[in-house]
Amino acid sequence: MKGKTRIGQLLNFRVSVPLWIVLSLASGLILAIYYLWPGGREHLKFSTAVIAGATAIYSAYYVGAALRLKLQRDRKDKSFEILTLLNRPEFVQVRRFIEQQLKNHDQISKSDLYKKIVEDADLLNAVTVTLGIYEDASIAIQCDYVDEDVLEQSLGFTLPWTFKCLRPYIEEDREVCKAQELYSEVEKLVVSWTNGKRLIDGSEFSGR
């Protein structure tokens, strides 16, 4: 009926007591029993051992949980350090070049794009810096040094898009340098993210 409150609702509350208070009360109880009930002192040995063991287990769990939380925060911090590099002028220059010169990137040959980039020292430096940082980001992810979800939220479009537009240049650069491994790490990242998978373990991103 309306207007009535169930008893269960009145009793639905939580009591949060710090562990040190519980241990203090338990210690006081054990001391009281020890002095007031001499015949039960042998039983107290077992009880004390159980309490000590439980305390050690809880402490180990707490320390482990705190360490995991710190590692997670450290990985996020490292991720944002990488993301701050997006404000470098090299990234802006590469993006402007792609938007202005590579609107129809499928129609430009590898050799023409390669020539256009290498003949412009500033542009070549910007492209090299950009792809190099993306390489480092991929390696950092694979080493579990950063939080991949954070990086994907920010770079999930920009990184694959940049790599796709510069692919003709990358392929020509590999042929000229006779090094097919050039920018292979960022390529791994692009393939994984394009398929909606994390590079670190191949799992799907949440919400996909």
Side-chain angles (χ1 to χ4, degrees), residues 172-185:
E172 184 71 10
D173 197 24
R174 288 171 175 174
E175 294 179 9
V176 171
C177 297
K178 300 186 184 305
Q180 292 302 310
E181 67 275 12
L182 277 176
Y183 307 119
S184 59
E185 299 303 327

Side-chain angles (χ1 to χ4, degrees), residues 26-39:
S27 299
L29 179 61
I30 290 174
L31 288 174
I33 294 176
Y34 182 84
Y35 287 107
L36 297 177
W37 185 32

